[in-house]
Every structure is written in C-alpha cells, then in structure tokens.
C-alpha cells in the first residue's frame, strides 16, 4: 500500500531466478518467497514479504519472482493499490478526530521540538497540516526523510509494476479504511509520545542512520529472524499492539486465502512482518494443512 499508511518498517525479501523451475532451499533457509501447495490445491500460490519504504537502488525484484508473477492468475496486496478511488477516500481518515492536533496532545516544549524538526526535515506537507495527522503517520513520513538515498520506493510498487505489465488483476486483502481504523484506535496520546521519542532519537542522526542501515542490511541479506526482532525493537507501538496490527489481521487473511487459493494461483505480497513467527502467515497456513515451502532467490547484482 502507499508508503505512508503502514507502521514504520516491515521485513525481508528472498528470491532466486532459475531457468525452468522453482528452486527450493532447505526448510531452515531464509526466504521471503514461499510457495503454498497441497491440501487440495490444484495450483500453488505464493507469499512474498515486502518492505514499504526502501531505497530505489535496493528495490529490484529477482527474475524468478517476476516469472512467478507472470504465471499467477492474480496479485493480492494488503489493500487494492489499483483502486485510486478507495485510496483517495481515506484522506480524511489520516487525520485525528475531533479537531485533535499535536498542539493539544503535547506540552509546549515537546510541541515546539516536533514542529521545528518537521519543518527542518519534511517537505511533503506543511506542519500546519501535518500536526493534524495521526502521529504514527507523521513518524513514518519522517523516517523516510532520514533514509540515506536520493530516491525511495516500496517493494509493493515494484510488484505492482510487474503485475500491470503482465495484465494481472490486482486486489486487496482488506480495505484502506480498515487499516486506518486500526491506527486510529491507538490512543493519540501514545502515538504523540512515540513521535516525540523518535524526534529525540533523531537528534543523534548518525546513530539513527546506522540503526536503519542494520535493518536494511538484514532485509537484503534475508535474515528473517533478525529483521523480525529488529522491527519489534525499533517500534514499541507495533510491539504493544502486535495482536491488532499484525496477528489478528493475519488470521483474517488466512480465512480469505482459504477461499481464494482453491480457485486460482495468487501472489500475496504483504509486509514481511506478517510472514514469520507462530502467529505469522507461514505457520498459520501450515496449521491449516498446507505445505508452505521457501523458494530460493537472488537479487540482481547492482551496477557499479
């Protein structure tokens, strides 16, 4: 989904190109490309872990994953990225209700500190507008500005490009309105407190960039356990509300996937944080009787 509607950062990717067939790696292998088969499915479907914000130079998809998209019947994201009417309809839901602003949530010193930081580091929206937005979204926007690269994108955008090029129908597992309702249910005061904590940590910009580099290194190395651990450590809000923001959604998606997969082969590209762990999509689908197998991938080599 668009890069300002998801919680901070997600997880990993792993994909490999092969001439004629998919190449499996050992079950313990790191991967964010997984084949779902068995349990009566006539054709396999696939899970793919994405990250919502990444430097464009690191966002290339492997040839193997592109082949899988070409072979699949449809592509599912968290929300329908092809439905611009829906995306536009949630603009008001990005703002806090009841006329609440950061000014009403923070003391004067903290408010001025956040105001100054936003004005110095974000050119997306004027602070007079941004102060009305859910603080969790403000944090996400500011994180993007810190990334040490000229251009940024999301893995979903790359997958979307391949899907549209191959005339694949695109759908969403849930609505944007539902996602924003979850974020809106987190107390505004807590969101504002975490925003202040982020601004405080950003004062040590080199340290923060180093921490983000560690995260993206783990992502690109496809170390799923490490990225899952770092995601929780870097985002206290996600940790506290993991059931609501991750696990309950995973369970809802499994119910939907059980209805979709017998009819067609689909690619499911969602934030990689939704894949691992006992409450992740991989284990939940295994518990439903499916074979969920990691597939090997290699990222394209960067041009020097």
């Amino acid at each position: 989904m668009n890069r300002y509607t998801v919680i901070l950062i997600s997880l990993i990717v792993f994909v490999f190109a092969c001439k004629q067939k998919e190449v499996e790696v050992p079950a313990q292998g790191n991967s964010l490309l997984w084949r779902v088969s068995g349990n009566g499915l006539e054709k396999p479907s696939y899970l793919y872990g994405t990250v919502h914000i990444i430097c464009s130079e690191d966002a290339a998809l492997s040839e193997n994953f592109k082949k899988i998209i070409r072979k699949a019947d449809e592509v599912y994201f968290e929300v329908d990225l092809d439905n611009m009417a829906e995306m536009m309809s949630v603009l008001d839901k990005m703002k806090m209700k009841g006329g609440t602003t950061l000014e009403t949530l923070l003391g004067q010193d903290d408010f001025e500190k956040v105001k100054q930081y936003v004005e110095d580091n974000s050119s997306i929206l004027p602070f007079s507008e941004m102060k009305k937005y859910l603080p969790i979204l403000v944090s996400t926007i500011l994180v993007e500005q810190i990334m040490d690269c000229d251009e940024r994108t999301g893995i979903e955008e790359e997958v979307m490009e391949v899907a549209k090029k191959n005339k694949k129908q695109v759908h969403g597992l849930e609505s944007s309105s539902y996602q924003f309702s979850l974020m809106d249910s987190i107390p505004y005061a807590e969101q504002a407190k975490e925003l202040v904590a982020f601004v405080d940590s950003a004062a040590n910009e080199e340290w923060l960039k180093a921490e983000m580099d560690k995260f993206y290194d783990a992502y690109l190395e496809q170390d799923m356990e490490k990225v899952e651990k770092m995601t929780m450590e870097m985002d206290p809000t996600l940790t506290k509300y993991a059931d609501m923001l991750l696990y309950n959604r995973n369970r809802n998606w499994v119910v939907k996937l059980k209805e979709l997969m017998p009819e067609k082969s689909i690619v499911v590209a969602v934030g990689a944080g939704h894949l691992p762990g006992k409450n992740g999509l991989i284990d939940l689908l295994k518990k439903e009787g499916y074979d969920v197998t990691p597939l090997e991938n290699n990222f394209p080599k960067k041009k020097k």
Side-chain angles (χ1 to χ4, degrees):
M1 66 181 298
N2 95 45
R3 70 190 70 159
Y4 304 133
T5 59
V6 183
I7 311 337
L8 235 45
I9 312 175
S10 297
L11 255 58
I12 294 182
V13 180
F14 192 97
V15 187
F16 170 64
C18 176
K19 288 185 178 179
Q20 296 296 332
K21 63 179 182 178
E22 301 148 16
V23 179
E24 296 182 10
V25 295
Q28 70 271 22
N30 292 324
S31 182
L32 271 193
L33 178 63
W34 296 73
R35 184 182 61 210
V36 183
S37 59
N39 204 19
L41 296 183
E42 294 184 6
K43 297 188 289 186
S45 287
Y46 301 87
L47 304 176
Y48 185 70
T50 69
V51 63
H52 303 299
I53 307 170
I54 192 169
C55 292
S56 296
E57 64 187 44
D58 293 324
L61 306 179
S62 76
E63 290 303 315
N64 193 46
F65 184 47
K66 291 178 184 178
K67 283 190 213 174
I68 285 172
I69 296 173
R70 288 196 292 266
K71 290 191 300 181
D73 296 314
E74 296 177 354
V75 176
Y76 277 77
F77 297 102
E78 293 180 23
V79 299
D80 186 351
L81 296 175
D82 206 27
N83 188 341
M84 293 309 298
E86 180 190 353
M87 303 295 281
M88 295 299 293
S89 71
V90 298
L91 290 177
D92 284 343
K93 293 181 172 61
M94 297 173 73
K95 297 180 180 179
M96 292 182 279
K97 295 176 181 176
T100 305
T101 70
L102 285 174
E103 202 164 10
T104 62
L105 293 170
L106 299 175
Q108 186 64 27
D109 289 346
D110 282 341
F111 175 77
E112 290 297 332
K113 177 167 54 180
V114 172
K115 178 177 183 290
Q116 188 64 51
Y117 185 85
V118 171
E119 290 179 342
D120 289 345
N121 293 278
S122 178
S123 59
I124 293 173
L125 289 170
F127 183 74
S128 59
E129 282 300 308
M130 200 176 290
K131 69 180 183 180
K132 305 173 188 176
Y133 279 64
L134 293 167
I136 199 169
L137 296 181
V138 178
S139 297
T140 305
I141 293 169
L142 295 176
V143 164
E144 181 179 2
Q145 305 306 301
I146 286 178
M147 294 177 65
D148 196 12
C149 48
D150 295 330
E151 295 184 7
R152 307 163 190 87
T153 186
I155 295 297
E156 294 90 344
E157 294 175 56
E158 303 301 311
V159 176
M160 181 73 165
E161 182 178 341
V162 177
K164 298 304 290 182
K165 182 178 179 180
N166 290 278
K167 297 180 172 55
K168 301 299 178 181
Q169 288 191 350
V170 171
H171 304 281
L173 292 171
E174 60 194 16
S175 69
S176 298
S177 294
Y178 174 68
Q179 286 197 339
F180 280 111
S181 73
L182 295 180
M183 285 184 263
D184 189 72
S185 67
I186 299 172
Y188 295 159
E190 285 191 35
Q191 295 189 39
K193 180 180 177 181
E194 291 302 325
L195 175 58
V196 173
F198 169 79
V199 170
D200 286 338
S201 68
N204 188 347
E205 185 173 333
E206 292 306 312
W207 173 85
L208 185 57
K209 283 185 177 181
E211 289 300 298
M212 292 179 66
D213 285 345
K214 289 178 185 177
F215 174 85
Y216 284 107
D217 285 346
Y219 179 91
L220 294 170
E221 291 166 4
Q222 303 156 87
D223 187 338
M224 182 173 276
E225 286 188 18
K226 187 174 181 180
V227 177
E228 181 185 18
K229 182 174 182 290
M230 290 184 67
T231 300
M232 292 300 182
E233 290 176 350
M234 292 169 69
D235 192 350
T237 302
L238 180 58
T239 303
K240 184 173 182 179
Y241 294 96
D243 275 337
M244 179 177 69
L245 297 175
L246 288 175
Y247 306 142
N248 289 340
R249 294 168 65 204
N250 291 346
R251 297 182 190 104
N252 292 339
W253 293 350
V254 167
V255 171
K256 186 160 188 173
L257 292 177
K258 287 172 63 179
E259 297 175 355
L260 293 170
M261 292 189 301
E263 300 177 355
K264 63 196 89 172
S265 174
I266 62 175
V267 169
V268 179
V270 296
H274 291 282
L275 269 61
K278 65 180 181 180
N279 295 304
L281 290 176
I282 293 168
D283 276 9
L284 291 176
L285 286 168
K286 286 181 178 179
K287 289 174 185 176
E288 293 294 331
Y290 297 98
D291 298 320
V292 189
T293 309
L295 301 181
E296 192 175 12
N297 288 314
N298 284 334
F299 292 116
K301 292 183 179 180
K302 294 182 183 179
K303 295 181 181 179
K304 294 184 180 180

